[in-house]
Amino acid sequence: MVSRVIPVDPFDLVIFGATGDLARRKILPGLFHRFQVGQMPAEARVIGSARSEMDRDGFRDFVRNTLIEFAPAAKADKALREAFLARIDYIPVDAAGADGWAALKAALRPDVVRAFYLSVSPALFGPIAARLHDHGVATPDSRIVVEKPFGHDLQTAQALNADLRQAFDEHQIYRIDHYLGKETVQNLMALRFANSLWEPLWNATHVDHVQITVAESIGVEGRGDYYDRSGAMRDMVQNHLMQLLCLIAMEPPSRFRADSVRNEKLKVIEALEPVPMSDIVRGQYRGRDGQGSYRDDVGNPDSLTESFLAMKVNIGNWRWAGTPFYLRTGKRLRARMSEIALVFRDPPHMIFPKMEGRRGNALIIRLQPDEGITLRNTIKEPGPGGFRLTEVKLDMTFAEALGPEAAPQDAYERLIMDVIRGDQTLFMRGDEVEAAWAWADPIIAGWEEAGPAPEPYDPGSSGPEDALMLLHRDGRRWREIA
Ligand code: NAP
């Protein structure tokens, strides 16, 4: 496969929070990779910023060490690494005060793309946006990039959007949901809208139900404080799983353009029906074999926050009425696995002997690990002894089908280059975020007021028993987390 990398326009990218965890693990290594493949033009510059007093050389040392730790290619190729470092600058700015803004303004060039990546606490999004505007650092074409969480509920999301929009227009705001930058997630759109095969089947007449699973084998891993205030609903379902659901459920957009795609996603969120408590299972992992429980991990012995959530979601529109979407996500589960499965209805009339354990046709889109697509078919079991059925998989793994060139690019790299290109297709629009909270808020309020405490589950399992029952009672079953 031939790799075609088209360099983006020259840019000044300012990273607020450039010494933080996300910058070290994702943003700086991602930029280095784009430089390595030739996508960063010679005139591109990356300007780190944080409160720490450092000069340019001090920051370059910091980035050098970061790349050696997190970008193997930079460790191996000193010349390339140093060439990248020559693009790096640093300007200390206090995001919540007055220091540094004039210097930042003076450092930026007038005739290149200008982007500000806010890799800082969400509490600083509003103050930074206001100062970029008030100090004349932002221009009408500048882009601002913010990281989730986009609010804690509808009210705080609206307040955040209002803060951002005081200084920037919606077309300048890039809300990163890194799930949308994953190659396989984008492939969902190609699969649906570049093939004629699926569209006739992509509806309630043919699809019995959809399962969306994002399972993690790790626990809260040092994010306990944040996680315990969020839980699986706020941390995963309202954003990542919701975006996956939208891409599966949306109508074909008229064009592959940011607002055409985002309009269709918004319609899906607005069509979601309220979810009764009886269709929700919340869980919390126990401790076992020396491993701490959720409550140990977050340091809150009374926590009622869910580390697991399964729910049945109905979409009230013509395409999907009668086809439930089952969502499931959790921590400390049996395996790390993200996938979407469309399970098709049985043939209307079966002429063959009943097959024990038959699961029927399914299209499974694997997001991680081992990204690919599987189609489960029923065939005749080979050999004599009567006509028996069996199930086989048509399996496509991206790495095998497309070769090493297809090794998926990290989502952050892709998304940062989209920011520079000015392409908002893979970023959440403010009204999408608010609509998702408007759906999630009453559900959260329901369990906060009267709902049961989360059900304990064993680490390494597939979640609480009741999550299995959620499908069993509908005559269905979850796919294995493996
Ligand atoms: P972090 O490690 O705590 O880093 C925060 C950065 O902000 C540091 O560079 C810090 O440097 C700077 N900073 C703090 N206060 C400042 C101020 N008043 N003015 C200027 N700079 C200031 O945070 P992080 O984990 O990288 O997270 C950054 C953002 O990404 C957060 O919104 C987080 O929710 C989001 N996020 C992170 C991850 C992740 O994997 N880490 C994943 C998803 C989303 P100084 O102290 O020197 O100022």
Side-chain angles (χ1 to χ4, degrees), residues 15-27 49-54 62 90 92-97 101 117-125 128 146-149 176 178 223 226 240 412:
I15 307 172
F16 288 97
T19 54
D21 179 64
L22 185 69
R24 271 168 47 74
R25 286 190 306 105
K26 293 291 180 187
I27 305 173
S49 184
R51 285 168 306 184
S52 309
E53 284 297 336
M54 248 189 291
F62 170 86
Y90 181 81
V93 175
D94 180 2
W101 296 99
Y117 196 131
L118 275 48
S119 180
V120 291
S121 151
L124 290 174
F125 293 169
I128 294 180
V146 290
E147 274 287 339
K148 79 160 211 194
I176 285 210
H178 71 275
R223 295 170 67 222
Y226 159 75
H240 302 318
Y412 278 93

Side-chain angles (χ1 to χ4, degrees), residues 265-320:
K265 287 197 290 162
L266 177 63
K267 284 184 210 162
V268 174
I269 303 174
E270 288 176 342
L272 295 178
E273 293 181 349
V275 185
M277 279 303 141
S278 54
D279 285 351
I280 299 173
V281 178
R282 298 168 70 233
Q284 201 184 65
Y285 60 82
R286 296 189 179 98
R288 203 179 57 184
D289 301 334
Q291 264 192 337
S293 67
Y294 172 83
R295 291 177 177 190
D296 296 332
D297 288 355
V298 300
N300 177 2
D302 303 318
S303 175
L304 292 177
T305 302
E306 75 285 356
S307 61
F308 176 98
L309 189 60
M311 63 202 303
K312 176 177 167 182
V313 176
N314 289 305
I315 303 175
N317 64 21
W318 276 45
R319 187 185 284 267
W320 293 115

